[in-house]
Amino acid sequence: MKQTDTADHAAHADHLRRARDLLAVHPVVDGHNDLPWALREQVGYDLNDRDLAQDQTGLLHTDLPRLRAGGVGAQFWSVYVRSDLSGDAAVSATLEQIDIVGEMQTRYPAHLRRALTADDMEAARTEGRIASLMGAEGGHSINNSLATLRALHTLGVRYMTLTHNDNLAWADSATDVARLGGLSGFGREVVREMNRCGMLVDLSHVAAGTMRDAIATSEAPVVFSHSSARAVCDHPRNVPDDVLLSLRDNGGVAMATFVPKFVLQAAVEWTQAADRNMREHGLHHLDTSPQAMRIHEDFEEANPRPVATVATVADHLDHMREVAGVDHIGVGGDYDGTPFLPQGLEDVSGYPNLIAELLRRNWSEADLAKLTWQNAVRVLRDAEAVARDLQFRRSPSHATIEEMDGTARV
């Protein structure tokens, strides 16, 4: 081994040791993990078939031993339902997702502590447990009902992503054709009622116009539970610089995601080409039939998939820190919500690798503590303070989409 290689190896080992030491004190608050949906799809929520106390490598990105190894101290579990579910079916599926998170907390009390507040998060850290929180992914989960929104908050949901991949009657999605230019009147009322409840407004997945409308409407800090920087990778799921900059005044936090097709420009272009290839064969780009998989595998063999790395994600965090400021960034890996992940971040045990890379880039330990723990705890605490004030001044809203937008409830 060359002397320079030996020195590089020693430096990396030192950065990794320092990363683990830092995470022992300031663990990661991960903004988004799709384990509940993966459990639904794989085993119908049966934890006997996916015992999370045991290593589930090859089956899941997430289990308790790897969360511990990754230095994760708080996890927002996504209580996601597909956006092709609507009406009462979407509400029921969301309740099932909430139920499995509760079952996880009951089954693994030595590891998971139910958390509803910032104080609960701090208590979990003191106890050496992982704070277990929930975020609903997609406003279709409330079926255009503010009462349902409040019920989700009562059940423990602490953020709601306003859309998923498809538009709602009251909000434009990043990956659909814009219809409203942002939020409708009812959409703004949803944001106001979330503020009053103390539920964080999550702007991942939404169109840039929706981001701007929500930030202009919200009296509380917003979050992006799993979105990276659009200036670094030009994908509509990412956050434009003007929106990142607005977080300085809003007080919100943008949590960088790891999904390669959102963080690596070459992967964006590869995905577009792969989707185009599927359409040229008369198939939907999300088709998973055996015929579709053969066509996709042939394409990938001829056109190898670009690979993101830890450094790819660090590039986004460098940019987000520069634009939004170090007080307004975090991480949301999207584990168990994507089939592909960067090298070094293949599962939830990989967080020390990311922190080591940032240490190599001369991030201070004070800045890293904000990234991993302090910013996310602070944003929830700030939302709680806004909610206390608003509840003193406002009654629950009973507005309907019919009244505000002239739109029939689906």
Side-chain angles (χ1 to χ4, degrees):
M1 184 179 291
K2 296 180 180 179
Q3 188 172 2
T4 53
D5 292 339
T6 302
D8 288 345
H9 180 77
H12 176 70
D14 181 61
H15 290 144
L16 199 54
R17 176 192 59 77
R18 289 174 58 201
R20 291 185 173 125
D21 287 347
L22 183 139
L23 290 171
V25 181
H26 303 288
V28 168
V29 181
D30 183 292
H32 192 90
N33 184 303
D34 278 301
L35 176 63
W37 187 264
L39 291 171
R40 173 191 174 107
E41 293 286 278
Q42 291 187 17
V43 295
Y45 298 123
D46 188 348
L47 292 175
N48 291 317
D49 284 347
R50 289 291 184 274
D51 182 1
L52 301 177
Q54 306 299 319
D55 190 308
Q56 299 294 329
T57 299
L59 299 169
L60 296 166
H61 299 146
T62 310
D63 52 52
L64 294 166
R66 285 182 290 169
L67 284 169
R68 296 290 199 179
V72 176
Q75 181 64 69
F76 278 92
W77 305 110
S78 174
V79 290
Y80 155 79
V81 299
R82 293 195 321 260
S83 53
D84 61 344
L85 294 174
S86 62
D88 291 343
V91 177
S92 295
T94 303
L95 295 176
E96 292 173 1
Q97 294 275 282
I98 291 170
D99 180 70
I100 190 58
V101 173
E103 186 176 343
M104 287 160 50
Q105 291 163 173
T106 300
R107 185 169 178 134
Y108 306 109
H111 296 282
L112 299 177
R113 185 193 202 275
R114 186 181 193 225
L116 302 177
T117 65
D119 283 348
D120 290 343
M121 295 172 75
E122 293 287 10
R125 181 173 67 146
T126 299
E127 296 164 0
R129 294 194 284 172
I130 299 166
S132 180
L133 304 105
M134 290 183 288
E137 188 174 21
H140 57 295
S141 296
I142 66 169
N143 190 21
N144 299 329
S145 165
L146 298 179
T148 302
L149 173 71
R150 289 189 289 273
L152 294 187
H153 182 267
T154 298
L155 291 171
V157 174
R158 286 301 177 265
Y159 74 64
M160 184 174 75
T161 321
L162 296 187
T163 73
H164 192 242
N165 288 337
D166 300 310
N167 291 340
L168 302 180
W170 49 268
D172 285 342
S173 167
T175 47
D176 203 344
V177 178
R179 293 185 303 182
L180 300 167
L183 290 173
S184 72
F186 183 74
R188 289 188 288 274
E189 188 71 359
V190 170
V191 169
R192 287 189 285 265
E193 191 62 11
M194 292 174 74
N195 288 169
R196 199 198 63 82
C197 288
M199 187 185 290
L200 289 163
V201 177
D202 177 23
L203 301 178
S204 288
H205 278 288
V206 307
T210 305
M211 297 176 194
R212 297 179 185 114
D213 281 357
I215 291 171
T217 303
S218 183
E219 297 179 58
V222 302
V223 295
F224 291 83
S225 66
H226 58 310
S227 294
S228 293
R230 191 156 185 178
V232 178
C233 181
D234 188 14
H235 191 286
R237 272 281 283 104
N238 289 332
V239 191
D241 275 2
D242 71 291
V243 177
L244 285 173
L245 187 62
S246 72
L247 295 180
R248 292 175 180 258
D249 291 330
N250 169 265
V253 172
M255 309 175 91
T257 194
F258 302 166
V259 180
K261 67 180 180 180
F262 301 154
V263 298
L264 183 67
Q265 192 63 45
V268 174
E269 294 158 6
W270 185 93
T271 301
Q272 292 169 344
D275 292 349
R276 187 164 56 249
N277 179 64
M278 293 288 277
R279 290 192 295 270
E280 289 170 354
H281 283 84
L283 298 168
H284 190 276
H285 68 277
L286 296 179
D287 192 337
T288 57
S289 65
Q291 177 194 5
M293 287 298 93
R294 283 194 299 273
I295 291 168
H296 188 76
E297 287 162 7
D298 289 345
F299 177 85
E300 188 164 357
E301 184 176 352
N303 306 273
R305 180 185 298 273
V307 177
T309 66
V310 173
T312 309
V313 176
D315 289 344
H316 282 266
L317 287 168
D318 278 342
H319 182 82
M320 293 162 76
R321 180 178 66 159
E322 179 181 351
V323 177
V326 73
D327 294 319
H328 305 288
I329 54 175
V331 286
D334 205 7
Y335 285 111
D336 285 303
T338 178
F340 304 102
L341 287 154
Q343 287 182 347
L345 294 169
E346 291 88 352
D347 60 47
V348 294
S349 68
Y351 280 108
N353 295 327
L354 177 59
I355 302 308
E357 173 63 18
L358 296 174
L359 284 167
R360 188 187 69 80
R361 298 180 182 212
N362 296 316
W363 282 49
S364 71
E365 293 191 5
D367 281 2
L368 289 168
K370 290 181 177 183
L371 172 76
T372 59
W373 181 261
Q374 294 170 0
N375 291 343
V377 175
R378 188 263 307 159
V379 80
L380 182 56
R381 194 181 302 283
D382 288 351
E384 293 165 13
V386 170
R388 284 192 297 270
D389 177 63
L390 292 177
Q391 287 167 19
F392 180 76
R393 296 191 283 114
R394 291 185 200 163
S395 299
S397 173
H398 297 285
T400 68
I401 194 168
E402 296 90 343
E403 293 169 349
M404 299 199 75
D405 294 348
T407 302
R409 184 173 297 182
V410 177

